Amino acid sequence: MQRVIRRNRKILNYARYEKQSSTRTDKKVRRGKNLCSVFGVCIVVTVILLAFRETRTSKSGIQSPLQKLSTTIDSPALPKSKTNTTLVECRIVTPNWINTGAPNGVWRITVYNDAPCAPVFLSLVVGGYYNDVYLFRVIQGFVAQWGFRPVAPSAGGWKTQKRHEDQKAKTYTGNLSNIRGTVTMIKGDLPQVFLNLGNNRRLDKDNTIPFGRIDGRGMEIAAKLYTGYKPGQGQIPAIKNGTAPTLFPKMSKVERCNVAQET
């Protein structure tokens, strides 16, 4: 009889233990679900706050850290005044190179009017100086240079203005840099300009500051420029005596430059 009683007590205690264990397990499961719910709510709230912050910074004109990063990785920096610009269109042709892949098309140059040498470039564009001039110096990954003429323009006082702009470059506080796609005027008494085919920030220290940049389609045309003619190979003498089409048939030229739009 006592054995039966003891056995029944063991069975009863085991049943109570199983019930208590089940209760504790249910509590842990409920606690875990509650934590997951709270964590999910926190994630949703965080996403909403970040989206609100991005919207507010974009409306106020203030760049968020992500926006600042996207504008500093090898992309031409914009000047402080985004509206004070002039659009110049230059038609690029390669008339003596019969090839379907020859560079032909339009460079759209956004000129930042406040940048050093921008006024000189624009005045020479209006005067037609950059019409029918060769891209006589093209170095792969470096620059494409144009603007040489046997006789430099004498009217308009551009040399005095150019010297003033060169001095202005020494104290320029803008954020333009010689990176791929930017257009810069060389220093000194020559109205020649060059397109940066690569990132040439080392030129900044010489106070050689870009005044504009070419759009993406223009850079596609620039990528097709022939780079087989080495600098100093005789391009300048050939341009002077009119033998460039024969001696350098793959040398492209700027057929015409004109002011397309002012903003």
Side-chain angles (χ1 to χ4, degrees), residues 139-150:
I139 304 175
Q140 187 175 8
F142 184 42
V143 298
Q145 188 169 332
W146 74 98
F148 169 78
R149 284 186 177 278

Side-chain angles (χ1 to χ4, degrees), residues 109-121:
I109 307 174
T110 299
V111 179
Y112 305 119
N113 300 336
D114 295 334
C117 292
V120 179
F121 176 74

